[in-house]
Amino acid sequence: MPEGDTVWQAARRLHGALAGQVLTRSDFRVPQYATVDLTGRTVLGTTPRGKHLLTRFEGGLTLHTHLRMEGAWKVYGGAERWKGGPAHQIRAILGTADRTAVGYRLQVLEFLRTGEEERAVGHLGPDLLGPDWNPDRALANLLADPARPLGEALLDQRNLAGIGNIYKSELCFLIGATPWLPVGALPADRAAKLPALAQRLLEANRDRPVRRTTGLRDQDLFVYGRAPRPCLRCRTSIRVADQGDGSRERPTYWCPACQTGPGPAAGPPRIRRTRTTN
C-alpha cells in the first residue's frame, strides 16, 4: 500500500509536470465522469493530504484521487511509452503539450468544488508531511481510545494521516511495543515520543527512492517483510500475523523479544486507570 511518503512523491511529480500548464487532453474512464472534459483548463497544482491527492484546476474544480493498495500516477514525456499497466487499468489521463499524467488502478476518483475539499479529507488527523502537522493533537487522538491496539490506532487516518502498514510495523518495533498492545498500556514516555518519531521517519524518506528506517546500508527495514529472518538487534526470528485496521486484515511484523506486549492470540494486558476526583 502506498504510504504518506509515496503519496507525497506522487504529488510532487504531478505538480512538477502539470502545474501552470493548459490541458490539451483529459480522459476519465469511470462511468460517473466519462463525459467530463477539462481540455483548455489550466492546472493550478497538486497537493497531498495524508494518502489523498488533490489536483486543482482553474474554475474552482478539484480532482480527488486515492491510490489505495495498487493505484499509481505515472508521468510520461510526449513520445514515451506508457508502461504503468494494461490500458484497461487506466482510470484518468491528464495531458499537456509535452507531458502526460496517467492514473492506473485508482480506487478513488471524484470531482469536488475546490472550496468543498473538506468533504473528502476533513476527517483526517494531522498530516505527518503537511503544514497542519501537530504532534500534540496526534498524540491526543491516539490516546482517545486507550483499549485500541497500537497498530490499529496508527493505521487510523483520523488519528494522524500518512502511516501505512510498513510504517506501522516499523514504528511499533522502534517504540518497543507489539502492535497488539493497547495504546493506553504504552508507557507515557514512549507514547509521547511516538508522533515525532513517525514524522521524522516519513520526512526522512519522502525524497528517497527506497524507504529506509534502520540507518543501515544493507538492511532497509527492521521487521517489515523479514519473517522469519533474525531480528537485526537480538537475532530472534521475526514473526508475522494478520492484524485488522477497521477495513481489512493486514500482515504485521514484529520481534517477540524486542517488543513488549501481547501477540495476536493473547489477551490484552489490563490497563491501569487513575481515579480522578471532581
Side-chain angles (χ1 to χ4, degrees):
M1 169 189 282
E3 313 214 6
D5 52 355
T6 306
V7 175
W8 190 91
Q9 292 170 10
R12 183 174 59 178
R13 288 193 301 272
L14 288 172
H15 188 85
L18 303 178
Q21 303 297 310
V22 175
L23 291 179
T24 58
R25 179 181 182 183
S26 78
D27 184 1
F28 302 99
R29 300 179 182 180
V30 293
Q32 186 176 358
Y33 302 111
T35 61
V36 172
D37 185 3
L38 301 184
T39 302
R41 294 205 192 202
T42 298
V43 182
L44 302 182
T46 298
T47 187
R49 182 71 172 86
K51 299 181 185 182
H52 300 251
L53 288 162
L54 301 170
T55 300
R56 299 172 180 135
F57 307 90
E58 67 173 340
L61 192 64
T62 295
L63 173 63
H64 166 228
T65 57
H66 195 298
L67 306 181
R68 293 283 174 88
M69 292 296 292
E70 298 179 346
W73 276 102
K74 302 288 186 180
V75 175
Y76 303 103
E80 188 177 357
R81 179 185 174 190
W82 298 1
K83 48 191 176 183
H88 72 266
Q89 293 182 348
I90 295 174
R91 298 293 176 264
I93 301 171
L94 297 172
T96 68
D98 57 357
R99 308 295 292 277
T100 302
V102 185
Y104 292 90
R105 301 171 298 278
L106 301 174
Q107 298 301 300
V108 174
L109 188 157
E110 64 173 342
F111 282 98
L112 307 163
R113 303 307 304 178
T114 300
E116 299 177 352
E117 289 176 355
E118 288 298 293
R119 288 201 297 113
V121 297
H123 66 288
L124 298 175
D127 186 344
L128 285 152
L129 294 177
D132 70 319
W133 172 241
N134 184 324
D136 294 332
R137 182 182 161 205
L139 180 59
N141 291 345
L142 288 168
L143 296 176
D145 185 356
R148 193 174 192 186
L150 176 59
E152 292 183 21
L154 287 172
L155 281 183
D156 191 333
Q157 304 299 295
R158 296 170 297 181
N159 291 333
L160 65 174
I163 292 177
N165 206 38
I166 297 175
Y167 279 121
K168 175 195 78 172
S169 294
E170 295 295 296
L171 281 165
C172 288
F173 176 82
L174 289 168
I175 212 73
T178 69
W180 292 272
L181 182 76
V183 175
L186 189 65
D189 59 334
R190 283 190 272 174
K193 296 176 182 177
L194 188 54
L197 177 60
Q199 198 271 340
R200 286 201 303 273
L201 283 182
L202 267 74
E203 191 168 72
N205 282 289
R206 69 181 187 180
D207 293 317
R208 291 175 177 166
V210 177
R211 185 178 292 120
R212 180 173 295 154
T213 63
T214 66
L216 305 173
R217 286 187 176 182
D218 57 344
Q219 296 288 346
D220 295 325
L221 303 174
F222 279 110
V223 292
Y224 189 85
R226 297 195 66 251
R229 286 176 285 174
C231 173
L232 298 177
R233 286 182 177 172
C234 72
R235 311 307 292 173
T236 300
S237 292
I238 298 298
R239 296 184 184 176
V240 60
D242 287 338
Q243 182 180 39
D245 68 344
S247 62
R248 58 177 293 169
E249 298 289 305
R250 303 187 188 280
T252 299
Y253 298 81
W254 82 104
C255 172
C258 292
Q259 295 170 250
T260 59
R270 181 176 298 176
I271 302 172
R272 177 181 290 182
R273 301 184 183 277
T274 302
R275 180 176 297 175
T276 59
T277 57
N278 294 327

